[in-house]
Amino acid sequence: MSTKKYSVGVDLGGTNIKIGIVSEDGKIIKKDSLSSKADEGPEKVIQQIKKAIKQISNKSKVKVIGIGIGTPGIVSSKKGTVENPPNFPGWDKVPLKQIIKKEFQKDVFIENDANAAAIGELMYGAGKNKENFIMITLGTGVGGGIILDRKIYRGELGAAGEIGHITIDHNGPKCNCGSRGCIEAYAGNRYIISRISKDISNHPNSLLCKMVSSEGKELSPKLIYEAACNKDDYAIGIITDVGKYLGYGIASAVNLLDVTNIIIGGGVAGFGRILFDSFEKTLIERVMKPFKSRINVKPARLKNDAGIKGAASLVFYKS
Amino acid sequence: MSTKKYSVGVDLGGTNIKIGIVSEDGKIIKKDSLSSKADEGPEKVIQQIKKAIKQISNKSKVKVIGIGIGTPGIVSSKKGTVENPPNFPGWDKVPLKQIIKKEFQKDVFIENDANAAAIGELMYGAGKNKENFIMITLGTGVGGGIILDRKIYRGELGAAGEIGHITIDHNGPKCNCGSRGCIEAYAGNRYIISRISKDISNHPNSLLCKMVSSEGKELSPKLIYEAACNKDDYAIGIITDVGKYLGYGIASAVNLLDVTNIIIGGGVAGFGRILFDSFEKTLIERVMKPFKSRINVKPARLKNDAGIKGAASLVFYKS
């Protein structure tokens, strides 16, 4: 029998719980998905998490040394609490670590999902050989994690790394967080789609507009990327702008932190080369002189299963 | 004879070298000032530093245990080098620590001046009882220092903490650093003065305009403050705006770092209550929800001699 160590990684999302058994060297040997039933409140969600862990444990015979959970919201890794995750009604503050630990009698580690993604990249991905990096997760929102000296930087109460809420225009569009002109209000999935929805009729000849209006396709980051790959100037312009906006905001983070390695993951990172080129060019233009030559932008290496692997990595990262 | 320990603090500026002998508990027992002769190049400046240290040492009989130097530019505290300080022609990279150490055979500590100011507040000032804080120095430019777990945060190459170069408007006015819309381009002394110079004729009935045009006084932060204290709405508006701009930018830093104690020092901080109130209100409005109740803004406690005390504190901070 193998002497490898394994952990369970739980990626808690507003819609689904994704779960996997992951080896110490970052390979998923089993995975599963379950509805998170967030609408039914914290007790139901906790039930679902327990169910998912039991199901996957029953399907595999390897010995699991611990459970890692990546979750939205403000997480105190020490205390093991999860506070007000967005899109999870009724949560307030839940002692999730303690609850899961009691049920399974195993070591449990919990972390904010964006931080878990950063730790995953540190352990198995594009951050493997880096002392310091800023991890950006482009999805519905824009998440972030800061790695300093190969440790996650948590701040005073565990809420650090809110890359998405760096302002790039104090007069800019309203952001969900209550402020204006945050990176997220430009580069978050839902903001991109909502902006284009209003603007697309001004570009009736663009391929993207045709795909949406004539072919009836749903506007999505993927569709924008498809149009851009087919040389649609309008779509290329949209992606280029997202890269610029990101660059303006991350320049502030680089100037503040003196950290010049940037790793970008998440769905919107699928915008590929157009996004990365525009981002990197803008970032180099905007950071202070001593940082320019050191800027190093890389795509995240953990792709679809980043959430599971990131969560699972918490067990090995900590132990 | 006293058993107190003493250090020499050297505050290197573009115009003057300010120097003092400072006791372990932060009291200046002797001070002096000398032209820095920055225009004559690094060798001359180094000569002046040596001269200043010799002069003040000859005037005092206390035993000095080390020398601390606060300097503009990018400083590697470990290597002891100073790189390209603005307004110091011909510097490139100078091994200042080694040169001074060799001359005086004492421990020498060098630090970027904004970082030295933060360490000074940590040791003797408004940061004495704080684990974490962001220090902002409002002067010709806008400097910053980040204290995490009672240590200065230096970043990869010692250039961290560039608070002044957080962007608040990516389309904003050109900043000296090459970017646009940095905090410094709104709240730096020279930018405030240059903006008002262009705008003041549009406010001919303001007290500030009268002070400048009829009374022939020179436009300065001090004059703006004087007009504001005399209830000049135009001057009050200027100071309120500076507070707002600072708030927009520091909100990004708070969201990123999860550090909620802010200490403000430097000349422009002399704008007093109007500035602080506007800054704090804006900051609380703009940071993410979990930070709002924890925001704590304080004026720096080391005033005129902050530079000397900050530099001197490096010796006790390190030893």
Side-chain angles (χ1 to χ4, degrees):
Chain A
M1 209 179 134
S2 160
T3 56
K4 260 189 195 169
K5 287 180 182 164
Y6 295 89
S7 69
V8 172
V10 181
D11 176 20
L12 178 58
T15 311
N16 289 309
I17 297 164
K18 292 179 192 160
I19 189 165
I21 295 182
V22 182
S23 66
E24 206 176 358
D25 54 354
K27 302 225 163 30
I28 294 185
I29 59 160
K30 200 125 251 165
K31 68 176 174 174
D32 204 353
S33 175
L34 218 70
S35 162
S36 46
K37 304 200 172 170
D39 292 341
E40 298 177 39
E43 276 178 41
K44 189 69 190 177
V45 174
I46 290 164
Q47 247 179 51
Q48 292 297 93
I49 296 174
K50 288 180 183 172
K51 193 173 161 190
I53 297 172
K54 278 177 198 158
Q55 272 184 14
I56 205 159
S57 302
N58 289 337
K59 282 185 203 159
S60 166
K61 278 177 191 146
V62 300
K63 203 171 165 335
V64 160
I65 63 162
I67 299 163
I69 305 173
T71 161
I74 294 174
V75 177
S76 164
S77 302
K78 258 193 206 159
K79 294 184 195 154
T81 54
V82 180
E83 224 175 316
N84 298 316
N87 310 317
F88 283 74
W91 269 59
D92 201 30
K93 201 187 249 186
V94 172
L96 188 60
K97 175 175 165 171
Q98 195 191 322
I99 294 168
I100 301 300
K101 195 170 175 168
K102 200 175 159 197
E103 179 81 17
F104 295 98
Q105 301 292 322
K106 287 213 187 303
D107 280 343
V108 176
F109 303 91
I110 70 171
E111 190 65 74
N112 169 277
D113 49 6
N115 281 355
I119 295 171
E121 289 297 322
L122 176 76
M123 300 278 292
Y124 308 127
K128 237 173 152 174
N129 304 312
K130 305 217 179 319
E131 290 294 308
N132 307 289
F133 63 87
I134 296 169
M135 167 86 194
I136 309 168
T137 305
L138 298 172
T140 311
V142 175
I146 302 169
I147 300 286
L148 302 178
D149 291 330
R150 296 194 66 75
K151 289 192 194 77
I152 190 84
Y153 172 73
R154 292 196 178 89
E156 274 175 9
L157 292 191
E162 288 290 357
I163 300 282
H165 301 283
I166 293 173
T167 297
I168 63 170
D169 180 359
H170 63 88
N171 272 324
K174 260 259 175 212
C175 179
N176 219 13
C177 75
S179 185
R180 282 187 175 279
C182 298
I183 292 183
E184 183 165 301
Y186 296 88
N189 200 335
R190 74 184 135 201
Y191 295 90
I192 298 175
I193 300 304
S194 121
R195 203 168 52 246
I196 309 309
S197 302
K198 288 173 200 153
D199 180 51
I200 196 164
S201 59
N202 299 324
H203 301 82
N205 296 322
S206 68
L207 176 60
L208 187 62
C209 187
K210 283 172 193 160
M211 288 165 117
V212 173
S213 57
S214 318
E215 299 170 30
K217 289 183 178 162
E218 196 189 349
L219 190 59
S220 69
K222 218 177 149 187
L223 198 73
I224 298 170
Y225 184 61
E226 211 184 303
C229 288
N230 284 296
K231 304 206 155 77
D232 178 23
D233 284 340
Y234 179 56
I236 292 172
I238 293 165
I239 297 176
T240 306
D241 281 350
V242 172
K244 276 189 198 167
Y245 294 138
L246 263 183
Y248 299 142
I250 301 303
S252 293
V254 170
N255 288 342
L256 195 62
L257 295 173
D258 185 1
V259 168
T260 48
N261 294 311
I262 319 288
I263 299 175
I264 308 185
V268 177
F271 279 161
R273 168 132 259 152
I274 307 169
L275 176 79
F276 277 78
D277 285 353
S278 158
F279 169 66
E280 191 170 52
K281 185 170 168 279
T282 308
L283 185 58
I284 291 172
E285 267 169 31
R286 292 290 174 121
V287 294
M288 295 178 78
K289 210 177 150 202
F291 305 124
K292 289 183 193 291
S293 64
R294 288 162 50 213
I295 292 293
N296 181 4
V297 180
K298 288 269 178 291
R301 266 210 227 126
L302 312 186
K303 305 280 178 190
N304 293 332
D305 298 318
I308 295 173
K309 286 186 187 172
S313 74
L314 298 174
V315 175
F316 305 117
Y317 170 71
K318 296 285 216 152
S319 59
Chain B
M1 212 178 131
S2 161
T3 55
K4 263 189 192 167
K5 286 180 183 166
Y6 295 89
S7 70
V8 172
V10 181
D11 176 20
L12 178 59
T15 312
N16 288 309
I17 298 165
K18 292 178 193 160
I19 190 165
I21 296 182
V22 181
S23 66
E24 207 176 356
D25 54 355
K27 304 225 163 28
I28 295 186
I29 58 160
K30 201 125 248 167
K31 67 178 176 175
D32 203 354
S33 176
L34 217 71
S35 163
S36 46
K37 304 199 172 171
D39 291 344
E40 298 178 39
E43 277 178 41
K44 188 70 192 175
V45 174
I46 290 165
Q47 247 180 50
Q48 291 296 93
I49 296 174
K50 288 180 183 173
K51 194 173 159 189
I53 298 173
K54 279 178 198 158
Q55 272 184 13
I56 205 159
S57 303
N58 289 337
K59 282 186 205 159
S60 166
K61 279 177 191 147
V62 299
K63 205 172 164 334
V64 160
I65 64 163
I67 298 163
I69 305 175
T71 160
I74 294 175
V75 176
S76 164
S77 302
K78 256 192 206 160
K79 293 185 195 153
T81 52
V82 180
E83 226 176 314
N84 298 316
N87 311 315
F88 283 75
W91 269 59
D92 202 29
K93 201 188 250 186
V94 172
L96 187 60
K97 176 175 163 169
Q98 196 191 321
I99 294 168
I100 301 299
K101 196 172 172 164
K102 200 176 158 196
E103 179 80 19
F104 295 97
Q105 302 292 323
K106 289 217 186 298
D107 281 344
V108 175
F109 303 92
I110 70 171
E111 191 65 73
N112 169 276
D113 49 6
N115 282 356
I119 295 171
E121 289 297 321
L122 177 75
M123 301 277 291
Y124 308 128
K128 236 172 153 177
N129 304 313
K130 305 219 179 318
E131 288 297 305
N132 307 287
F133 63 88
I134 296 170
M135 167 87 195
I136 310 168
T137 304
L138 298 172
T140 311
V142 175
I146 301 169
I147 299 288
L148 302 178
D149 291 330
R150 297 194 64 76
K151 289 191 194 77
I152 189 85
Y153 171 73
R154 293 196 178 87
E156 274 175 7
L157 291 191
E162 288 289 358
I163 300 281
H165 301 283
I166 293 173
T167 297
I168 62 169
D169 180 359
H170 63 88
N171 272 323
K174 262 261 175 210
C175 179
N176 218 14
C177 76
S179 186
R180 282 187 176 279
C182 298
I183 292 184
E184 183 164 304
Y186 295 89
N189 200 336
R190 76 184 134 201
Y191 295 90
I192 298 175
I193 300 303
S194 121
R195 203 168 54 246
I196 309 309
S197 303
K198 287 175 200 150
D199 180 50
I200 196 163
S201 58
N202 299 324
H203 300 81
N205 295 324
S206 67
L207 175 61
L208 187 63
C209 187
K210 283 174 194 160
M211 286 166 118
V212 172
S213 57
S214 318
E215 299 170 29
K217 290 184 179 161
E218 198 189 348
L219 191 58
S220 70
K222 217 177 151 189
L223 197 73
I224 298 170
Y225 184 60
E226 210 184 304
C229 288
N230 284 297
K231 304 203 154 87
D232 178 23
D233 283 340
Y234 179 55
I236 292 172
I238 293 165
I239 297 175
T240 306
D241 281 352
V242 171
K244 276 189 197 167
Y245 295 138
L246 262 183
Y248 299 142
I250 301 302
S252 293
V254 170
N255 287 342
L256 195 64
L257 296 172
D258 185 1
V259 169
T260 48
N261 294 311
I262 319 289
I263 298 175
I264 307 184
V268 177
F271 279 162
R273 170 133 257 156
I274 307 170
L275 176 79
F276 277 77
D277 285 354
S278 158
F279 169 66
E280 190 171 51
K281 183 169 169 279
T282 308
L283 184 58
I284 292 173
E285 265 168 33
R286 292 290 175 121
V287 294
M288 296 179 78
K289 208 178 149 201
F291 304 125
K292 289 184 194 288
S293 64
R294 287 163 50 212
I295 292 293
N296 181 4
V297 180
K298 288 268 179 292
R301 264 208 229 130
L302 312 185
K303 304 281 176 188
N304 294 332
D305 298 318
I308 294 173
K309 286 186 186 172
S313 74
L314 299 172
V315 175
F316 303 117
Y317 171 70
K318 296 284 215 157
S319 60

